[in-house]
Amino acid sequence: MDAALKAKIRAELFRCAVAGAFPTYTDFFNRIHPGKQMGNFPYQTHFNEIAKDERDLGYPDITFLVRGVNGYPNQIDFRDARKGPDDDQLSSLRAGTNRLIELYCPPDTPNPY
């Protein structure tokens, strides 16, 4: 894994958080590579590692900020959610996002989930 790219992705996730932004995967890709065309989202491995790092340190999964076309992250708790999250995933997503908002986002940022 490219450590510099992972650091760049992590930093951009935190920039989204402090702005209260919940970008789509395409919008997030464009933040990393402005002007380039995205095929399949190329950062899932990086997202998994970042999510594990954050959780291991007792922080919420910051990758929850990025949403797919269905309005939810494509993966929640390391399981596919592209067809919509199940009840456990949705509960985890909402709790984790509430914690992200509490820690990093501007006051009164609504939880989109």
Side-chain angles (χ1 to χ4, degrees):
M1 172 170 308
D2 182 338
L5 180 57
K6 179 182 172 186
K8 184 175 183 177
I9 291 167
R10 181 190 303 273
E12 194 58 45
L13 286 165
F14 278 97
R15 277 192 279 281
C16 290
V18 299
F22 290 81
T24 65
Y25 286 98
T26 300
D27 292 339
F28 187 81
F29 176 85
N30 290 334
R31 288 170 174 256
I32 302 294
H33 295 290
K36 289 193 175 182
Q37 188 76 9
M38 183 182 88
N40 290 330
F41 187 69
Y43 306 131
Q44 194 58 55
T45 301
H46 295 85
F47 268 37
N48 286 346
E49 289 300 314
I50 291 166
K52 287 176 189 171
D53 291 347
E54 294 299 307
R55 287 173 176 224
D56 286 349
L57 294 170
Y59 293 104
D61 183 346
I62 194 154
T63 68
F64 283 175
L65 293 170
V66 185
R67 300 173 293 121
V69 295
N70 70 354
Y72 297 103
N74 289 345
Q75 183 173 286
I76 301 168
D77 296 340
F78 308 103
R79 293 186 296 122
D80 192 323
R82 286 174 289 186
K83 293 182 181 176
D86 63 31
D87 290 341
D88 290 339
Q89 287 174 310
L90 192 54
S91 177
S92 176
L93 174 64
R94 287 179 175 154
T97 303
N98 283 340
R99 185 74 175 126
L100 285 171
I101 290 168
E102 178 185 325
L103 288 171
Y104 308 121
C105 296
D108 301 321
T109 299
N111 185 332
Y113 310 121

